[in-house]
Amino acid sequence: MKCFIIYIGILLAAQSCGPTTRHLQSGDLLFQVGKNSGMEQAIKAATGRSKTPDFTHVGIVVVRDGADSVLEATSEGGVRMTSLKEFLQRAAPDIKGRPLVVAKRLRDTAGLAASLQHAAACIGLPYDYAFRHGNGRYYCSELVWENYRTPDGERRFPARPMNFRAHDGTMPQFWIELFEQLGEPIPEGEPGTNPNDMACDPQLQEVGRWF
């Protein structure tokens, strides 16, 4: 009886931790609901959906020697490799304190190895505060969009006209101040990507979550 109780405890603990190393594969995408920084709030206001979590960040799983890491583009460090533990700790928690992170996988993984190599070659490049393609900088979903390609070189994910406005049509002060500092116009309507749109792409299937 004692052994049975211990087994149940271990099983429940494993389930509460979300996907494990053996479940995650290199190339899986981790969609994260970020904590309420100024940028996170502005992204949620512009891209949030009523029936899904308001994902504000996406990273790429890299499994090496049994350890999970995340290749990501962040405003804190540009394109970098982060431990999975740190990635989960940066996520907003649900009411039980679990990180709001979902893992999704391409249904068709042809060409994924080459995509990962191209993405890894971007490590060290700066964060793209201007949210414009082709400037040698990357924001989180742009890193995925630019490097995830089919074997014939086509981008797997579409770019759509970007929206920076809140649901009521107003422009959040965060974006106004950011682009004033950059000395650039807000790229409203220009082609771009965001984690919420990408997470809903039918090419992806959910393989696990931590909440």
Side-chain angles (χ1 to χ4, degrees), residues 74-85:
T74 72
S75 58
E76 292 82 10
V79 182
R80 63 179 184 174
M81 197 74 76
T82 305
S83 70
L84 175 61
K85 180 180 179 181

Side-chain angles (χ1 to χ4, degrees), residues 31-83:
F31 292 92
Q32 178 193 89
V33 178
K35 296 179 180 178
N36 284 325
S37 67
M39 179 175 283
E40 303 287 351
Q41 291 175 347
I43 293 173
K44 288 179 182 179
T47 68
R49 295 168 177 260
S50 60
K51 295 183 179 180
T52 61
D54 288 334
F55 296 120
T56 58
H57 185 55
V58 59
I60 303 168
V61 172
V62 178
V63 179
R64 292 178 176 173
D65 301 323
D68 293 341
S69 299
V70 183
L71 176 60
E72 58 177 349
T74 72
S75 58
E76 292 82 10
V79 182
R80 63 179 184 174
M81 197 74 76
T82 305
S83 70

Side-chain angles (χ1 to χ4, degrees), residues 182-206:
L182 294 174
E184 298 185 27
I186 298 174
E188 180 76 12
E190 294 187 19
T193 63
N194 68 74
N196 255 342
D197 281 350
M198 190 172 284
C200 294
D201 195 292
Q203 297 178 87
L204 297 173
Q205 59 183 335
E206 183 174 327

Side-chain angles (χ1 to χ4, degrees), residues 6 12 15 25 29 33 63-64 72 89 91 102 128 130 138 160 199 201 203:
I6 292 174
L12 292 175
Q15 289 176 339
Q25 298 177 7
L29 298 177
V33 178
V63 179
R64 292 178 176 173
E72 58 177 349
Q89 288 175 338
V102 172
D128 186 8
Y138 291 97
R160 297 185 175 91
D201 195 292
Q203 297 178 87

Side-chain angles (χ1 to χ4, degrees), residues 142-205:
E142 182 185 16
L143 180 67
V144 178
W145 175 82
E146 179 62 46
N147 293 291
Y148 271 50
R149 298 180 182 244
T150 62
D152 60 3
E154 294 293 323
R155 291 188 176 92
R156 287 193 174 273
F157 299 102
R160 297 185 175 91
M162 288 191 291
N163 171 60
F164 289 81
R165 296 185 179 276
H167 292 301
D168 62 2
T170 61
M171 184 64 69
Q173 191 63 27
F174 177 88
W175 298 126
I176 295 173
E177 294 178 359
L178 172 63
F179 285 94
E180 283 181 350
Q181 293 173 5
L182 294 174
E184 298 185 27
I186 298 174
E188 180 76 12
E190 294 187 19
T193 63
N194 68 74
N196 255 342
D197 281 350
M198 190 172 284
C200 294
D201 195 292
Q203 297 178 87
L204 297 173
Q205 59 183 335

